[in-house]
Amino acid sequence: MKFAVITDVHGNYDALETVLDDIDRRGDIDKIYNLGDNIGVGHETNKVLDDIFDRDDMEIISGNHDEAIMALVNGTPYPEDLKGKFYEHHQWIQQHLDEDYYDKLNNLPRVIEQTICGKKVLVIHYEIPNDKLDDTIDLQPFSPIETATEANMQSLFEDKNADLILFGHNHTVHLFDDKEKIYFNPGSVGLNNGPNAVYGIVTIDEKGIDIERVKVAYDNEEFLRGFDEKQVPGKQLIFDKFI
């Protein structure tokens, strides 16, 4: 089986389209795993959701930004750790979110577990301890981000039983193989520090697991202009921290 891994689109439609076009051009990708944070930070919310929910070859999980925005939609508690950073921005996203996507976003799983060619594959946005997998987003179930080292990934995901762990959240590439587990984060599709979008390709067969990280160039000028044109709240923080 050969599949693509995308994560952290963050409302960047042009980057997403570039990645999906590249995947489709190859013609040999069986499935796409989407690891969450499709909305928030960027401003092209509904265009991104139109694309991902329109595909029948994509399996999608939720990310922390997706869940925080849906907490505002649902009138449930909002996570304290995001209040000083993204509250007004997430309110803006909520106000522009098409109601047709409420149920779809609310029903996204946090975890996908599959066995492919005898290998156990875990798909998760970032580590959530097993005893917190059912905690609501206001309880801050996602673990703090760890520096990208093999030892840190071993410790972070020590409670997870898998041969391959696919994750996102931290927008930098991770690829570690400790002989028991492979840890792979291809990096953010939508927030990759410049006019490039990234994703991963994983091949699993009787020989084992092969992983490739793909970088594709795209024109990010329209995406950047949109923050001013749409008067997106939190622009300065977003540009300082993510773009």
Side-chain angles (χ1 to χ4, degrees), residues 52-107:
I52 66 170
F53 285 122
D54 190 50
R55 297 187 68 108
D56 58 12
D57 62 348
M58 187 180 294
E59 293 196 38
I60 308 167
I61 62 173
S62 65
N64 59 305
H65 281 264
D66 307 321
E67 293 189 20
I69 291 163
M70 291 313 296
L72 295 175
V73 170
N74 298 329
T76 54
Y78 182 87
E80 289 290 333
D81 64 323
L82 295 179
K83 276 188 177 176
K85 301 175 183 177
F86 286 106
Y87 186 70
E88 290 185 0
H89 173 78
H90 282 168
Q91 283 184 314
W92 186 89
I93 298 293
Q94 173 208 356
Q95 292 161 7
H96 292 79
L97 174 61
D98 190 325
E99 293 182 8
D100 290 344
Y101 291 118
Y102 288 1
D103 287 344
K104 291 181 179 181
L105 289 166
N106 276 326
N107 291 325

Side-chain angles (χ1 to χ4, degrees), residues 189-200:
V189 169
L191 301 176
N192 191 46
N193 296 323
N196 295 289
V198 296
Y199 71 100

Side-chain angles (χ1 to χ4, degrees), residues 9-241:
V9 175
H10 282 295
N12 187 338
Y13 174 75
D14 294 327
L16 173 64
E17 275 292 278
T18 299
V19 163
L20 293 180
D21 285 348
D22 194 71
I23 290 170
D24 291 339
R25 176 188 57 79
R26 293 171 182 270
D28 61 351
I29 304 295
D30 301 310
K31 186 187 289 284
I32 303 169
Y33 287 103
N34 181 328
L35 279 53
D37 272 5
N38 284 288
I39 59 176
V41 183
H43 48 81
E44 297 165 328
T45 304
N46 295 314
K47 291 172 70 176
V48 164
L49 296 178
D50 287 345
D51 253 23
I52 66 170
F53 285 122
D54 190 50
R55 297 187 68 108
D56 58 12
D57 62 348
M58 187 180 294
E59 293 196 38
I60 308 167
I61 62 173
S62 65
N64 59 305
H65 281 264
D66 307 321
E67 293 189 20
I69 291 163
M70 291 313 296
L72 295 175
V73 170
N74 298 329
T76 54
Y78 182 87
E80 289 290 333
D81 64 323
L82 295 179
K83 276 188 177 176
K85 301 175 183 177
F86 286 106
Y87 186 70
E88 290 185 0
H89 173 78
H90 282 168
Q91 283 184 314
W92 186 89
I93 298 293
Q94 173 208 356
Q95 292 161 7
H96 292 79
L97 174 61
D98 190 325
E99 293 182 8
D100 290 344
Y101 291 118
Y102 288 1
D103 287 344
K104 291 181 179 181
L105 289 166
N106 276 326
N107 291 325
L108 290 177
R110 278 181 170 166
V111 174
I112 295 172
E113 295 178 280
Q114 293 191 343
T115 300
I116 302 171
C117 296
K119 300 296 185 181
K120 294 181 180 178
V121 179
L122 173 69
V123 178
I124 190 168
H125 184 65
Y126 201 67
E127 165 65 358
I128 302 175
N130 289 338
D131 61 356
K132 296 184 177 182
L133 281 170
D134 294 325
D135 283 2
T136 51
I137 191 63
D138 59 295
L139 299 177
Q140 299 173 210
F142 290 96
S143 296
I145 289 176
E146 295 283 356
T147 303
T149 68
E150 181 178 306
N152 283 345
M153 296 305 102
Q154 286 178 319
S155 176
L156 184 67
F157 291 106
E158 64 181 352
D159 64 343
K160 298 297 186 288
N161 178 24
D163 299 298
L164 171 63
I165 299 177
L166 303 172
F167 63 100
H169 189 52
N170 185 351
H171 299 166
T172 60
V173 63
H174 301 57
L175 181 53
F176 302 104
D177 182 351
D178 68 3
K179 310 307 179 189
E180 292 185 2
K181 300 174 185 174
I182 297 175
Y183 312 86
F184 181 46
N185 171 0
S188 172
V189 169
L191 301 176
N192 191 46
N193 296 323
N196 295 289
V198 296
Y199 71 100
I201 297 176
V202 178
T203 304
I204 303 179
D205 56 25
E206 67 279 358
K207 298 177 183 178
I209 301 172
D210 181 74
I211 294 175
E212 176 187 359
R213 183 179 187 248
V214 181
K215 179 186 287 188
V216 285
Y218 76 103
D219 184 352
N220 67 348
E221 289 302 316
E222 184 176 351
F223 176 67
L224 296 178
R225 287 197 306 270
F227 285 90
D228 287 327
E229 292 172 356
K230 299 176 184 178
Q231 298 183 319
V232 180
K235 176 197 167 184
Q236 195 59 53
L237 171 68
I238 291 166
F239 274 54
D240 287 347
K241 297 292 186 181

